[in-house]
């Protein structure tokens, strides 16, 4: 009987332990770390659970808020109630249909909390833009990541000072003038990663990127708008990686200083009228681009023919070391001519890889014969190695 009472008592104690709120007993630092991965509005909702949880959300190091139908007062109130001395990250996505929201207050609160990552997205039904407060950008030594999206006007009459900014993303924002572009970028002495997505010639004619510390640059020109023209001047002596989409929509892209450029990825180059744009990329150690030969053949009613250049480009003659040709049309005479031209002139070539398009089973033998012909071409580089990727049947 005594043994049964003992077992029964242990069962009751175990049941009480299971009913106990174990999460609330965790240290505050651990709780905040866990809650940082939960949507902010869900964390705010936990304030009704108990006295312990009532103010816990106010110390979150990361806030991610989306406002659609809320009033501007709701946005201000949440940020003012937040008490964390250092805000690691603030993400604000706002659809402000009334256009009454004062972005200066939001930015001011974020900067007063020493925010390190600031992500702002604004959307207005009438395409109304909100002006980013330049007066608050005269000195900031904590912001490391800044991402701005849509309907934000950047007007910087003088140089900003984002002393610690390493990463800057600008998605379809609007600059007041070309000086504002320069005053923003020149005020970021530690900037390493810059992403620009915009409509060609929408706000400024010449987009000058002069950043000595910049290592990665991504530019994407939107092809959905009929706004061709303008271009870029890039002076980035530390630049290592360059990625450009929609290059054919601009008039110029002058790379004045990029001696450390390792890799350049260029989108569709088929419609680029200014050859100097591609000439600026001659220093890249790895160059990738897309050229839709199939589209050209479809658009030419009398057939498309490849015309051999009058002189061999210097980059091909003296610098090309690795060639990767995807979707190689082994059955096309024009593509075979281009491949042969490269192999006969690339003196520094070390490896050439040809990745063919889909092949029907009955074409395998003919494909092998055609590739044997390519392999027999007298190459300028006797040490080069040819690789033919297997095909999918």
């Amino acid at each position: 009987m005594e043994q049964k009472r003992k077992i029964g008592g242990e069962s009751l104690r175990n049941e009480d332990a299971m009913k106990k709120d174990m999460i609330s007993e965790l240290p505050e630092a651990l709780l905040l770390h866990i809650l940082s991965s939960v949507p902010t509005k869900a964390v705010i909702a936990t304030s009704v659970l108990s006295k312990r949880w009532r103010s816990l959300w106010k110390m979150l190091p990361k806030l991610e808020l989306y406002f659609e139908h809320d009033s501007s007062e709701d946005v201000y109130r949440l940020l003012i109630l937040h008490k964390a001395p250092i805000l690691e990250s603030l993400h604000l996505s706002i659809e402000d249909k009334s256009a009454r929201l004062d972005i200066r207050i939001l930015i001011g609160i974020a900067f007063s909390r020493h925010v390190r990552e600031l992500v702002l997205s604004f959307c207005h039904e009438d395409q109304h833009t909100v002006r980013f407060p330049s007066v608050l950008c005269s000195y900031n030594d904590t912001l490391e990541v800044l991402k701005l999206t849509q309907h934000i006007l950047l007007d910087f009459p003088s140089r900003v000072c984002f002393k610690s900014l390493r990463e800057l993303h600008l998605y379809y924002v609007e600059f007041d003038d070309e000086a504002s572009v320069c005053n923003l970028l020149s005020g970021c002495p530690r900037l390493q990663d810059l992403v620009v997505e915009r409509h060609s010639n929408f706000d400024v004619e010449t987009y000058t990127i002069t950043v000595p510390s910049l290592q990665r640059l991504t530019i994407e020109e939107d092809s959905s708008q009929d706004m061709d023209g303008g271009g870029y001047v890039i002076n980035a002596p530390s630049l290592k990686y360059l990625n450009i989409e929609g290059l054919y929509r601009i008039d110029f892209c002058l790379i004045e200083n990029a001696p450390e450029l390792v890799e350049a990825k260029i989108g569709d180059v088929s419609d680029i009228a200014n050859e100097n744009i591609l000439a600026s990329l001659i220093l890249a150690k790895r160059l990738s681009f897309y050229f839709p030969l199939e589209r050209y053949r479809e658009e030419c009613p009398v057939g498309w023919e490849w015309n051999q250049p009058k002189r061999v480009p210097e980059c091909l003659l003296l610098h090309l070391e690795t060639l990767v040709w995807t979707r190689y049309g082994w059955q096309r005479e024009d593509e075979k001519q281009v491949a042969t031209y490269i192999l006969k002139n690339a003196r520094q070539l070390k490896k050439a890889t040809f990745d063919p398009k889909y092949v029907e089973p009955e074409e395998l033998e003919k494909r092998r014969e055609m590739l044997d012909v390519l392999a027999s071409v007298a190459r300028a580089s006797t040490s080069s190695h040819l690789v033919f990727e297997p095909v999918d049947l």
Side-chain angles (χ1 to χ4, degrees):
M1 180 67 70
E2 183 66 27
Q3 182 67 21
K4 288 184 178 179
R5 281 199 298 269
K6 185 176 181 181
I7 294 174
E10 288 180 355
S11 298
L12 289 173
R13 284 194 296 271
N14 291 337
E15 186 177 347
D16 290 340
M18 291 176 65
K19 292 180 179 179
K20 189 176 181 181
D21 183 2
M22 302 296 291
I23 296 180
S24 295
E25 298 299 321
L26 294 174
E28 183 174 290
L30 181 56
L31 272 177
L32 291 173
H33 177 73
I34 295 172
L35 293 176
S36 293
S37 60
V38 178
T40 302
K41 285 196 172 183
V43 178
I44 295 175
T46 64
S47 60
V48 301
L49 295 178
S50 67
K51 185 177 180 180
R52 170 78 192 282
W53 291 82
R54 187 174 302 163
S55 300
L56 193 60
W57 73 269
K58 299 177 183 179
M59 300 303 294
L60 281 174
K62 298 179 180 180
L63 292 178
E64 187 168 348
L65 299 168
Y66 173 75
F67 298 95
E68 183 177 7
H69 303 296
D70 309 75
S71 67
S72 56
E73 287 74 18
D74 293 331
V75 184
Y76 303 146
R77 181 177 59 83
L78 283 176
L79 291 180
I80 292 173
L81 287 174
H82 189 262
K83 301 300 181 183
I86 296 180
L87 194 54
E88 293 287 343
S89 174
L90 174 61
H91 291 214
L92 280 177
S93 180
I94 300 174
E95 290 189 18
D96 185 20
K97 297 181 180 180
S98 64
R100 295 176 181 174
L101 193 67
D102 192 338
I103 191 175
R104 294 173 299 178
I105 298 178
L106 301 180
I107 304 297
I109 295 173
F111 284 1
S112 69
R113 303 289 163 76
H114 310 289
V115 64
R116 292 178 180 171
E117 179 183 39
L118 180 60
V119 180
L120 295 177
S121 175
F122 284 87
C123 182
H124 299 286
E125 288 184 342
D126 60 355
Q127 305 297 311
H128 171 75
T129 58
V130 293
R131 187 180 294 268
F132 198 88
S134 59
V135 68
L136 298 178
C137 305
S138 58
Y139 183 81
N140 182 296
D141 62 353
T142 59
L143 188 64
E144 297 178 4
V145 178
L146 178 61
K147 299 180 181 180
L148 305 176
T149 303
Q150 288 188 333
H151 302 159
I152 298 177
L153 176 63
L154 301 178
D155 179 13
F156 299 112
S158 59
R159 180 184 294 186
V160 307
C161 182
F162 289 126
K163 193 174 181 180
S164 302
L165 194 68
R166 297 178 291 101
E167 188 174 340
L168 177 62
H169 294 207
L170 303 173
Y171 301 111
Y172 302 104
V173 299
E174 181 180 344
F175 280 96
D176 187 65
D177 52 27
E178 294 178 3
S180 293
V181 179
C182 297
N183 286 332
L184 172 60
L185 298 181
S186 63
C188 307
R190 297 184 180 178
L191 187 63
Q192 297 181 2
D193 191 346
L194 175 61
V195 177
V196 176
E197 293 187 15
R198 62 193 288 261
H199 302 300
S200 303
N201 201 21
F202 175 71
D203 47 1
V204 297
E205 182 77 16
T206 302
Y207 202 111
T208 302
I209 300 173
T210 301
V211 186
S213 59
L214 192 64
Q215 296 185 17
R216 293 174 295 276
L217 174 59
T218 299
I219 298 173
E220 183 170 334
E221 290 283 328
D222 189 357
S223 60
S224 65
Q225 301 291 327
D226 188 18
M227 296 180 180
D228 293 359
Y232 297 85
V233 175
I234 301 171
N235 189 327
S238 300
L239 189 65
K240 292 179 173 60
Y241 303 99
L242 175 64
N243 187 359
I244 304 180
E245 293 289 338
L247 192 61
Y248 63 93
R249 299 189 63 86
I250 63 177
D251 292 335
F252 60 91
C253 182
L254 178 60
I255 303 178
E256 292 184 335
N257 186 16
E260 301 297 321
L261 189 60
V262 174
E263 182 174 355
K265 293 183 178 181
I266 311 300
D268 189 348
V269 300
S270 58
D271 291 327
I272 295 178
N274 188 344
E275 294 182 358
N276 291 329
I277 292 179
L278 294 179
S280 297
L281 302 171
I282 191 172
L283 294 176
K285 294 178 177 62
R286 291 195 297 272
L287 176 61
S288 303
F289 60 85
Y290 172 64
F291 191 94
L293 287 174
E294 293 87 350
R295 193 182 76 195
Y296 261 71
R297 296 186 184 110
E298 293 173 356
E299 293 176 352
C300 296
V302 295
W304 181 81
E305 294 183 358
W306 179 70
N307 295 318
Q308 181 173 308
K310 294 181 179 179
R311 66 181 184 88
V312 182
E314 183 179 337
C315 58
L316 170 61
L317 189 66
L318 302 177
H319 301 289
L320 182 65
E321 295 184 359
T322 304
L323 170 68
V324 178
W325 189 325
T326 59
R327 295 180 58 81
Y328 174 65
W330 56 271
Q331 75 278 36
R332 300 289 311 191
E333 184 63 26
D334 49 9
E335 294 195 31
K336 186 179 75 171
Q337 290 174 354
V338 176
T340 300
Y341 179 79
I342 293 174
L343 295 176
K344 285 185 174 181
N345 291 283
R347 298 177 183 177
Q348 304 300 321
L349 187 65
K350 295 179 180 178
K351 183 179 179 181
T353 302
F354 295 89
D355 186 1
K357 295 185 291 187
Y358 176 83
V359 177
E360 297 290 346
E362 60 271 16
E363 294 179 319
L364 282 176
E365 182 60 27
K366 184 177 179 181
R367 169 187 173 272
R368 185 187 63 79
E369 294 175 359
M370 296 293 290
L371 295 182
D372 286 343
V373 172
L374 188 60
S376 65
V377 170
R379 284 167 263 167
S381 173
T382 56
S383 61
S384 60
H385 178 54
L386 264 61
V387 176
F388 300 109
E389 294 289 355
V391 298
D392 295 326
L393 300 178

